[in-house]
Amino acid sequence: MFGPATKREGVDGRRQLTALAERGIYAAILPRCPVRCTLRLQILVILVALAVASRAAAWTLGDPDSPSTLDVHGFVSQGFIKSTANDYLVDSSSGSFEFSEAGLNFTTQLTDRLRAGLQLFAFDQGSLGTFDVRADWFYLDYHFKDWFGVRAGRVKLVYGLYNDISDIDAARTPVLLPASIYPETNRYYLLAVTGGELYGFVNLNRGGGLDYHLIGGAIPVELPSQIGAPEQASNIDIPYIAAGRIMWETPLDGLRVGATGAVLKLNETAVFAPMPPMPTLPPLNAHAVEYVGVLSGEYVGHNLLLAAEGGSSRTTLTDDQPALVPPGRTVSGGGYGLAAYRVTPWLQPALYYSVYWPNVDDRNGPGKFQDDLSGTLRFDINNYWLVKLEAHYMHGTAVLSGEQITMGRENWGLFLLKTTAYF
Amino acid sequence: MSSIRICAVLLAFGAAIYAYPRRVRAESGGPFRVIVNTGNPVDAIDRRFLADAFFKKTTRWPNDEAIRPVDLAPSSPLRRTFSEEVLKRSIAAVKSYWQQVVFAGHGVPPPELDSESDVVKFVAKNRWAVGYVSPGVNVAGVKIVVVR
């Protein structure tokens, strides 16, 4: 909901800010990164692969009778994307294997109430991933009471039902979460917040329970190399983000409903290379504030999963060169409905329909809407290995990038194959 | 008039949820027994409390001591029964829940032991543990509690 998934071929200041105004903050700041498979990633993948191969279960180090053990979990994923037209996330029209993820996490209970954890993560997805290993999350968690705990560090952004697991293929049925609420760009910029979190679960007895999270902090944005680009972002930062989610776990087992609200600010400075005979433009400083709201409902009962979410965001853009990039306010919106049923322990089909409007006041025309009808087959080969097949019928081009938004084919298909090993 | 009907339907729905039967078959003659350490003063557990304890949403006994749930391996038929009757989810759905929790960094699942005798030993050794076993298993050293 913070902006649709897009790919940028370079950091184009004016296009960025136009995109920022029209399509949300994160559509605007996606530079094309060179793919670098570093030694660190290789080490991470080898570690995870060894763990999966040698003992396909979570490692628990230390005395299992003691609460102070070290739990180790990990996963590796590899996917393939092919579209019938348009390039989505990667060069999908040609078919692409640039769809890889690996993660390894460590959690330990230091005392009765104090826990610490760290997850290393690397991924490649077209322009969104660079294969660099980074700390996905790390925290110290002090659990005062069930209804009140504190986490500090880099904490996952709890947003809607699934944002905090949007990088974990094994934790969901579809390969791609509905882009109306969970644009793929969130995986890079809005997965975790450096700051803190207050959380808790309030038992309402026969009234169910209330689960809440309040998160605040900043999101550091690392700019990749832009050598050779005619327009460059010299600085992008998100100085603050505040988010809260409250979820009522109803007395009906497995049924939960709730709401998420968030506000964040983004600052950007763009510089323009001289382009004679045009006069050199001075640097452009822009600021955007985005407010987001999402309503969520989910039912998980025995083998059935039903979920629906709807949301809206309002982005206000201001800058110091209004003649170049006019300030403005845009409201985007969308939602989805999802159903999944585990037919057998090894087969779970899922369907969802998602709709998204970058500007709810202008819903007609190229790039003004996106309908997505998706079907998934998830095969759990065993407890540690799964394979997914997924097909999307896309109507619209709002989730595409660059010229494809207005020039792309309106009706297109997307096919994904993905396999994940985890423990 | 239509708003009154909607309110009536919502009220009926709420009343149905409130009155939803919560008894499980663990009380007597059922397919499993819930066990705690003999030093635990608890004699009866609400089914929802037990489910929240195994999901680690509720982590404290009423006396504020930390609950230590212990599970059986996913291949265990008894675990399947316990999951369906107490957690109201299939084992696969429970696994999916823990994958979300684990990889979001919000916690780790209960330890999974290979046999029911191991569960009895674990509960006997850990004062604030809770587990489940079949009715025929020797439960010397632990205490069976009623699940409401």
Side-chain angles (χ1 to χ4, degrees):
Chain A
M1 208 60 234
F2 287 97
T6 60
K7 180 177 72 173
R8 297 291 173 203
E9 294 300 328
V11 178
D12 177 330
R14 181 166 184 164
R15 191 176 64 188
Q16 271 182 351
L17 294 168
T18 304
L20 188 150
E22 291 179 352
R23 299 161 57 76
I25 287 172
Y26 300 96
I29 54 174
L30 294 177
R32 178 72 178 172
C33 306
V35 174
R36 290 179 287 128
C37 187
T38 65
L39 180 63
R40 287 170 297 168
L41 172 78
Q42 292 170 15
I43 291 170
L44 181 61
V45 168
I46 289 168
L47 277 173
V48 174
L50 281 174
V52 171
S54 62
R55 185 188 171 194
W59 286 344
T60 300
L61 307 177
D63 179 4
D65 284 340
S66 163
S68 301
T69 55
L70 177 66
D71 283 84
V72 185
H73 296 263
F75 60 90
V76 288
S77 294
Q78 177 61 52
F80 176 76
I81 307 180
K82 176 78 175 78
S83 57
T84 58
N86 305 326
D87 287 326
Y88 182 53
L89 305 175
V90 296
D91 295 326
S92 59
S93 58
S94 306
S96 175
F97 286 98
E98 272 192 272
F99 199 28
S100 314
E101 298 156 340
L104 191 61
N105 74 48
F106 308 85
T107 308
T108 185
Q109 194 78 34
L110 297 169
T111 71
D112 190 21
R113 298 180 189 273
L114 180 65
R115 191 172 70 229
L118 162 71
Q119 178 161 291
L120 303 174
F121 181 69
F123 79 108
D124 175 36
Q125 188 177 298
S127 64
L128 294 181
T130 61
F131 267 137
D132 283 331
V133 178
R134 59 186 173 132
D136 201 16
W137 47 257
F138 56 86
Y139 63 82
L140 275 175
D141 178 344
Y142 197 84
H143 194 81
F144 290 90
K145 299 282 185 183
D146 282 339
W147 56 268
F148 184 64
V150 179
R151 290 190 188 102
R154 181 169 164 80
V155 297
K156 278 285 186 80
L157 179 58
V158 176
Y159 168 82
L161 295 169
Y162 306 124
N163 188 67
D164 54 348
I165 53 125
S166 59
D167 58 340
I168 312 297
D169 186 61
R172 59 175 188 267
T173 307
V175 176
L176 299 178
L177 286 169
S180 54
I181 303 294
Y182 306 105
E184 285 293 304
T185 49
N186 280 14
R187 295 157 57 99
Y188 199 74
Y189 294 103
L190 282 167
L191 197 63
V193 173
T194 304
E197 175 182 11
L198 307 178
Y199 69 96
F201 178 76
V202 182
N203 193 330
L204 302 177
N205 297 316
R206 299 198 76 180
L210 281 180
D211 175 85
Y212 74 88
H213 296 261
L214 298 170
I215 297 168
I219 300 178
V221 178
E222 292 181 17
L223 288 173
S225 169
Q226 302 163 62
I227 295 171
E231 299 89 20
Q232 301 185 357
S234 63
N235 177 60
I236 296 175
D237 73 282
I238 299 171
Y240 70 80
I241 176 169
R245 187 190 78 177
I246 187 161
M247 199 67 71
W248 177 40
E249 304 205 346
T250 70
L252 183 64
D253 282 279
L255 177 64
R256 57 177 182 156
V257 293
T260 304
V263 57
L264 64 88
K265 183 176 184 180
L266 179 139
N267 299 320
E268 177 180 352
T269 301
V271 294
F272 303 92
M275 297 179 68
M278 300 288 288
T280 301
L281 295 169
L284 184 145
N285 296 294
H287 313 280
V289 176
E290 185 166 0
Y291 295 89
V292 187
V294 175
L295 296 176
S296 310
E298 181 190 57
Y299 174 72
V300 182
H302 301 284
N303 291 308
L304 178 66
L305 165 65
L306 300 171
E309 293 189 278
S312 178
S313 72
R314 188 185 69 195
T315 304
T316 304
L317 174 71
T318 57
D319 63 82
D320 61 1
Q321 295 186 49
L324 184 64
V325 180
R329 176 179 297 177
T330 307
V331 178
S332 63
Y336 74 91
L338 179 151
Y341 188 78
R342 190 166 288 277
V343 180
T344 70
W346 53 269
L347 175 62
Q348 186 183 36
L351 276 173
Y352 72 70
Y353 174 70
S354 168
V355 61
Y356 169 70
W357 301 281
N359 183 346
V360 295
D361 297 323
D362 184 8
R363 302 185 183 194
N364 297 310
K368 305 293 187 185
F369 62 89
Q370 184 70 57
D371 296 324
D372 177 2
L373 178 62
S374 165
T376 308
L377 291 175
R378 171 177 167 153
F379 300 93
D380 286 271
I381 309 296
N382 56 39
N383 285 329
Y384 318 105
W385 180 29
L386 64 85
V387 175
K388 295 179 184 178
L389 291 171
E390 187 164 297
H392 294 253
Y393 169 69
M394 299 286 206
H395 178 57
T397 54
V399 296
L400 298 175
S401 61
E403 293 179 346
Q404 293 185 116
I405 295 170
T406 51
M407 306 292 285
R409 189 173 298 174
E410 189 169 88
N411 295 303
W412 49 293
L414 184 69
F415 302 94
L416 302 101
L417 169 64
K418 196 170 187 185
T419 184
T420 298
Y422 60 96
F423 65 97
Chain B
M1 193 63 187
S2 61
S3 60
I4 294 173
R5 284 179 186 162
I6 291 171
C7 288
V9 168
L10 288 175
L11 281 173
F13 182 68
I17 289 174
Y18 192 75
Y20 188 75
R22 285 170 170 75
R23 295 178 64 187
V24 294
R25 290 188 287 157
E27 294 167 17
S28 63
F32 58 84
R33 298 282 184 271
V34 174
I35 56 172
V36 298
N37 188 282
T38 51
N40 191 328
V42 168
D43 293 317
I45 298 180
D46 181 74
R47 199 273 307 163
R48 184 74 182 238
F49 178 92
L50 188 60
D52 286 343
F54 271 81
F55 284 130
K56 291 195 176 179
K57 293 173 182 171
T58 296
T59 65
R60 300 274 155 184
W61 293 105
N63 64 2
D64 207 36
E65 292 291 344
I67 303 172
R68 294 197 62 197
V70 57
D71 227 331
L72 285 167
S75 56
S76 162
L78 189 65
R79 177 166 173 181
R80 185 170 64 241
T81 305
F82 182 80
S83 290
E84 293 285 352
E85 295 212 2
V86 173
L87 309 183
K88 303 296 183 187
R89 299 185 188 192
S90 65
I91 290 178
V94 173
K95 277 184 59 189
S96 177
Y97 167 83
W98 281 112
Q99 284 158 9
Q100 294 182 22
V101 172
V102 163
F103 290 113
H106 291 163
V108 294
E112 294 174 345
L113 302 184
D114 292 332
S115 71
E116 297 178 42
S117 59
D118 288 342
V119 170
V120 173
K121 286 178 193 167
F122 184 94
V123 173
K125 194 172 179 180
N126 293 279
R127 186 170 180 188
W128 305 109
V130 58
Y132 55 90
V133 293
S134 301
V137 169
N138 182 358
V139 290
V142 297
K143 183 170 72 173
I144 295 173
V145 294
V146 174
V147 180
R148 290 190 294 260

